[in-house]
Amino acid sequence: MYGRTFEAAETRPNGALVTILSYELWTSAFGGSPSAIGSQVEVNGVRRTVVGIMPPQFDVADQHVEVWNPLVINPANRQNRGSHFLYLIGRLADGATLQTANAELDTLLAGWPGSIARPADPARGVHTPDTKNHRLRFDALQMQIVGGARTAVFVLQGAVVFVLLIACSNLANLLLARAESRHKEFAVRTALGAGRLRLLRQFMVEGCVLSFAGAALGLGVAVAGMRALIAAYPDSLPRSADVTLDLGVLVFTLIIGLATGAAFGLAPLLHLAPDARSVALKDGGTRSTAGAGRNRIRRALVAAEVALAVALVIGAGLLLRTVMNLSNVDSGFNRGQLVTFAVTLPNARYAKPEQVRAFYTRLLEQLRATAGVQSVAAMTGLPPLRRVDANDTNIEGYIPPPEGPFANVDYYNTVTTGYVETMGIPVVEGRAFQPTDALGTTVMINQTLARTFYKDKSPIGRRVRPSAPASLNVPWFTIVGVLKDVKQGGVDKKTGTELYFNFEQVTAVGTGYGIGTMNIIMRTTQPADALSGTIRAAVAGLDSSLPIVKLRSVEDVFGEAIGRPRLLAQLLGIFAGLALLLAAIGSYGVLSYMVIERRREIGIRMALGADRGSVLRMVLSQGLRLTLVGVVAGLAAAFAMNRLLASLLFGVRPSDPVTIATVVALISGVALVACYLPARGATRVDPMIVLRDE
């Protein structure tokens, strides 16, 4: 928006140190002043000159970036082929498609291995992509951003449509019943000269006013609901900051409101036929019995409402079970009474490993002395949701079969001594790190790595070595312990292979992998808020320029990891509750109208000796038959949606009998109450009053 982007020279070694700021950071840190261009800011301990300001809400891949620095790559250094830390974004050439681009890439990959000189040490192999086991591919950026949420969004959209259809059914029944009660009025208006077009306009205006008022009220609820949704779940849906009630949404709401009112406002036309008018004028009463066709329409609408409600409530029940299963999943460690926060040491001020080691050693010592803190440790990877490392690793004695698994480890985790005890991770075999290991070269592994590469043999005493350039002389590390699997890639995902390096060793012997951010973990009886002041004082006492990143309990970390399923379950639960309420109202309304419509018949039955119990059973049976038809149709619809819902569920099948039985019982109970009220009213009909009115 202001300034410029990076120049080519700034992306090469020894180029100018520059940066670009987001619009949001520019307004909060500089008050939106144009003088920010050309000023200097400190980024990770390095003074950089601000050369540009991006437009508001600019975000390429939903990463919430606030600062952009030039990616400095040395074209002369092409040796480090094992560093997979970049995400590439490109734009297809004119006329190219994703399919043709991937075909061209496959051709490139096929010839890539042969174009690389073989290393002097054959044991180290050569790290190149290929078309089979270690491939590159092109994916659509939009799918990368929103692909994981597509099914969830479709399910929510389907729920919205279901609720809309139920509301339309209720409105249709309301207008049909209203038209029945006004049939004499329509006949008189027609007899006095009102034409069909004149009456048609009146009906449509009445229907549109009714539905449009509801649409306007709904828009107000939508504005408040959208703001509350984004505030409660800012990161659960991709690009949630861009979600707004735009012109398209407003037009859609207007069209739906007007179309619904106009369509169902035509119901009174059923009463404008010549024979209907003559019957109405001859009828001395204020109400005549509705035709069988109109009764069937109303009953079909009620059955449809129940069916849609059943499908929605089953979906909400399954997602609720999913959230419960995710919340109770075995994470591999005891996450109760754990508080965590992160600290990032700028490379410019902490360039030497001994500086990093000294900082964290002093920080952990101070935190251990805090009242209420039982133990403290630090780690680079914070469960249960972190990015995969996928690091090639030399595993002594392991020869990968052609079909795999290959010597590649999903997660590297550098931890301090006391990590296993603080986290509460069971040691399956061997032992955890001890203070005496500080000058050695030891590692721990998880159960999945042991099963993957060592099968039924004990891995204790075996050696592994991180893949790195030969110039670094990375040593071999001896396995001393096997830990229980810990969820790292998501609570609903299979556990990957994991290597645990000792922080004190890594900063002493070097592995070629720098320590960037460390997550401090504290087992304590105090909540995170109560420790906030102590933690900030401890960090500031060591380096006042360092911020505390995401101080929270580990339970909150888990809650954030399952934020999307929880959001989906809550929203679908709201829709399901609304659908259930509307279906109950629809059933109650139709049965109430039918009781009023059959008031004369009920009075005659009771005058002829029918008791209140038989009248109650008669009305209840009508309502419950509609409910039964709706439940059966709803179950069929729910089973039809199994494939769509299956990808969103965890630990529960789409056809889970417990959920289905619970939903059927709930729907039946609600329907019974909705049917009982008008049925009870029918038993209170006084036959003498009814016959006198007739």
Side-chain angles (χ1 to χ4, degrees):
M1 187 173 71
Y2 298 113
R4 62 175 177 84
T5 55
F6 301 131
E7 297 175 349
E10 294 164 349
T11 64
R12 295 291 181 259
N14 303 317
L17 300 176
V18 296
T19 190
I20 296 175
L21 306 181
S22 69
Y23 176 88
E24 290 73 22
L25 182 58
W26 173 59
T27 54
S28 63
F30 292 91
S33 172
S35 62
I37 302 294
S39 64
Q40 287 200 327
V41 296
E42 185 175 302
V43 182
N44 281 340
V46 177
R47 303 291 296 180
R48 293 179 176 272
T49 302
V50 178
V51 297
I53 306 295
M54 298 305 294
Q57 297 184 346
F58 177 82
D59 199 345
V60 174
D62 199 38
Q63 296 296 308
H64 309 292
V65 177
E66 294 185 279
V67 177
W68 289 265
N69 295 333
L71 176 63
V72 178
I73 298 179
N74 185 359
N77 179 14
R78 297 175 177 266
Q79 303 308 311
N80 191 7
R81 301 183 176 278
S83 295
H84 299 165
F85 66 100
L86 296 178
Y87 292 84
L88 307 184
I89 296 178
R91 188 175 298 279
L92 292 174
D94 293 339
T97 65
L98 198 60
Q99 292 72 24
T100 60
N102 270 309
E104 187 174 347
L105 179 61
D106 285 343
T107 302
L108 174 65
L109 292 177
W112 200 328
S115 65
I116 303 300
R118 313 311 294 179
D121 181 5
R124 288 187 175 272
V126 60
H127 193 102
T128 60
D130 56 51
T131 57
K132 185 178 180 182
N133 301 318
H134 191 65
R135 65 168 297 114
L136 303 177
R137 71 169 188 266
F138 293 133
D139 293 318
L141 179 60
Q142 184 180 21
M143 289 301 298
Q144 288 292 303
I145 298 174
V146 303
R150 282 173 64 88
T151 303
V153 171
F154 282 142
V155 169
L156 289 178
Q157 191 64 50
V160 170
V161 172
F162 278 20
V163 173
L164 180 61
L165 290 175
I166 294 174
C168 290
S169 297
N170 266 350
L171 183 58
N173 267 326
L174 172 66
L175 293 176
L176 283 171
R178 192 162 179 262
E180 293 284 352
S181 66
R182 298 173 64 191
H183 70 286
K184 194 174 192 64
E185 172 197 340
F186 302 148
V188 172
R189 285 178 179 271
T190 304
L192 293 176
R196 295 176 66 89
L197 184 60
R198 169 68 181 81
L199 293 175
L200 177 61
R201 287 200 303 268
Q202 177 185 339
F203 304 152
M204 293 186 65
V205 168
E206 290 176 354
C208 288
V209 168
L210 181 65
S211 59
F212 189 71
L217 179 62
L219 278 177
V221 175
V223 171
M226 182 192 67
R227 292 175 179 172
L229 180 69
I230 294 175
Y233 295 94
D235 301 320
S236 295
L237 289 176
R239 301 187 64 186
S240 58
D242 297 335
V243 177
T244 58
L245 291 181
D246 57 13
L247 181 61
V249 174
L250 297 177
V251 171
F252 173 80
T253 305
L254 176 64
I255 292 175
I256 289 295
L258 294 178
T260 304
F264 295 116
L266 300 180
L269 288 179
L270 298 172
H271 299 273
L272 296 185
D275 56 342
R277 293 198 302 269
S278 61
V279 171
L281 291 174
K282 293 176 183 177
D283 192 356
T286 58
R287 182 186 304 271
S288 63
T289 302
R294 292 193 289 276
N295 269 333
R296 282 195 294 269
I297 291 175
R298 285 200 296 269
R299 292 171 180 172
L301 289 173
V302 170
E305 290 181 37
V306 174
L308 294 172
V310 167
L312 265 182
V313 177
I314 287 178
L318 291 172
L319 287 173
L320 181 61
R321 291 279 304 277
T322 291
V323 172
M324 293 174 60
N325 291 337
L326 290 173
S327 300
N328 298 323
V329 73
D330 184 5
S331 57
F333 65 96
N334 179 12
R335 64 178 190 255
Q337 295 187 322
L338 286 180
V339 171
T340 183
F341 66 94
V343 176
T344 299
L345 302 184
N347 292 332
R349 293 202 304 272
Y350 296 87
K352 297 180 179 180
E354 54 266 27
Q355 293 175 307
V356 175
R357 182 171 64 253
F359 174 89
Y360 285 113
T361 299
R362 291 197 298 269
L363 176 61
L364 296 184
E365 288 175 351
Q366 293 184 29
L367 294 178
R368 288 191 187 99
T370 303
V373 175
Q374 300 169 0
S375 59
V376 183
M379 55 186 167
T380 53
L382 181 66
L385 185 60
R386 50 179 288 211
R387 287 183 176 179
V388 66
D389 297 321
N391 288 323
D392 283 348
T393 306
N394 295 317
I395 300 176
E396 189 177 40
Y398 179 73
I399 301 176
E403 69 281 0
F406 302 97
N408 187 279
V409 176
D410 296 318
Y411 301 101
Y412 277 10
N413 204 349
T414 301
V415 303
T416 59
T417 302
Y419 164 80
V420 172
E421 294 77 9
T422 302
M423 291 286 287
I425 303 175
V427 179
V428 178
E429 185 181 358
R431 62 174 178 83
F433 289 139
Q434 303 296 331
T436 54
D437 292 328
L439 299 179
T441 52
T442 58
V443 294
M444 298 181 297
I445 64 175
N446 69 342
Q447 291 173 291
T448 298
L449 190 146
R451 287 192 300 265
T452 302
F453 298 115
Y454 298 102
K455 304 300 181 185
D456 298 329
K457 299 178 181 179
S458 173
I460 303 300
R462 305 292 186 97
R463 299 194 304 169
V464 297
R465 182 173 62 185
S467 178
S471 58
L472 294 179
N473 294 318
V474 175
W476 287 90
F477 290 80
T478 302
I479 299 173
V480 295
V482 179
L483 304 184
K484 181 180 179 179
D485 285 338
V486 173
K487 293 289 186 181
Q488 298 285 1
V491 294
D492 58 337
K493 299 295 190 298
K494 292 182 178 180
T495 307
T497 54
E498 186 167 12
L499 268 177
Y500 295 90
F501 293 95
N502 188 303
F503 170 76
E504 289 80 3
Q505 295 175 10
V506 166
T507 53
V509 303
T511 61
Y513 295 92
I515 302 296
T517 298
M518 290 290 281
N519 298 284
I520 312 300
I521 196 84
M522 308 167 62
R523 186 164 295 279
T524 173
T525 57
Q526 299 188 47
D529 293 341
L531 293 170
S532 175
T534 302
I535 292 172
R536 295 183 189 281
V539 174
L542 297 174
D543 190 333
S544 59
S545 68
L546 296 179
I548 303 298
V549 182
K550 291 188 175 182
L551 173 62
R552 51 194 170 155
S553 70
V554 172
E555 291 291 353
D556 290 338
V557 177
F558 263 74
E560 183 179 304
I562 62 173
R564 182 176 297 173
R566 179 173 290 165
L567 167 64
L568 184 59
Q570 290 180 350
L571 287 180
L572 204 59
I574 292 173
F575 289 140
L578 183 58
L580 191 58
L581 176 63
L582 289 174
I585 292 174
S587 300
Y588 170 80
V590 167
L591 284 179
S592 296
Y593 178 77
M594 291 172 64
V595 167
I596 295 173
E597 188 182 53
R598 300 177 62 183
R599 189 165 174 266
R600 176 184 178 186
E601 173 196 341
I602 293 173
I604 294 175
R605 284 176 179 269
M606 297 184 71
L608 293 176
D611 59 8
R612 297 182 183 275
S614 63
V615 173
L616 182 67
R617 287 192 297 272
M618 178 187 70
V619 179
L620 271 178
S621 64
Q622 288 182 338
L624 293 180
R625 278 198 298 268
L626 295 179
T627 301
L628 179 60
V629 172
V631 167
V632 172
L635 290 176
F639 287 133
M641 296 187 302
N642 278 358
R643 182 174 299 179
L644 182 63
L645 279 175
S647 61
L648 300 174
L649 303 180
F650 178 80
V652 61
R653 295 178 300 168
S655 57
D656 178 57
V658 175
T659 303
I660 293 175
T662 303
V663 170
V664 170
L666 174 64
I667 296 286
S668 301
V670 172
L672 181 62
V673 173
C675 296
Y676 174 76
L677 295 177
R680 184 169 174 268
T683 64
R684 296 184 175 183
V685 172
D686 189 334
M688 296 303 296
I689 296 177
V690 172
L691 294 177
R692 186 186 308 125
D693 290 342
E694 292 297 328

